[in-house]
Amino acid sequence: MATITIGPIRVIPCAASYELGGTLGIALPGSLMSLLYTRAMLVPPGIAVAPEARDSIDEALALSEGLVPFQAEQVIGVARVAFDQAFTGVVGTAALMLIAVAFVVRRMLAGQEGAKDNGSSKRRVDGCRG
């Protein structure tokens, strides 16, 4: 099994690194979205809806079915706005992380010999040799 090597240190098997990356790529943005949604979901005063409406947009939509139409529209509207804000926050965070990673990689490659690729390299970009 191939491993990723950083200097003299063997870090992690390649297959496990892909699985770990995929798992973290879902868990961290999902957790951030949940946090941002919960903070943005402010039920209008005077509407008696269960606290679970702040957990997810699905819960808010399901709980709004038991309300009178005017109140249901308000809860649905607030839930959609909260979801949009949470989604925008996650996408913005991901974009900033990509920019930061690109900057770090650029800085790391700037000092290496042969950093300019003329297209003749046979080495895989991910560092795993298969």
Side-chain angles (χ1 to χ4, degrees):
M1 183 183 301
T3 58
I4 296 175
T5 305
I6 299 176
I9 303 169
R10 288 190 172 180
V11 180
I12 191 167
C14 286
S17 68
Y18 292 127
E19 292 172 13
L20 178 64
T23 301
L24 291 176
I26 292 170
L28 295 178
S31 297
L32 178 61
M33 183 141 177
S34 179
L35 173 73
L36 294 174
Y37 175 83
T38 299
R39 288 182 177 231
M41 179 60 180
L42 302 173
V43 178
I47 297 179
V49 67
E52 288 83 15
R54 297 188 69 212
D55 291 344
S56 71
I57 191 168
D58 290 335
E59 288 289 330
L61 295 176
L63 292 170
S64 69
E65 291 176 0
L67 299 173
V68 295
F70 175 72
Q71 291 179 338
E73 288 176 16
Q74 285 186 318
V75 170
I76 291 170
V78 170
R80 286 183 176 161
V81 168
F83 182 83
D84 288 346
Q85 289 176 353
F87 186 78
T88 302
V90 170
V91 171
T93 301
L96 290 175
M97 289 173 59
L98 285 173
I99 291 168
V101 167
F103 178 74
V104 168
V105 168
R106 174 75 173 139
R107 298 269 302 174
M108 289 174 63
L109 290 177
Q112 291 185 358
E113 183 179 326
K116 293 183 181 177
D117 187 13
N118 61 7
S120 65
S121 176
K122 300 293 183 204
R123 189 172 146 199
R124 288 181 53 177
V125 175
D126 61 11
C128 296
R129 300 183 202 297

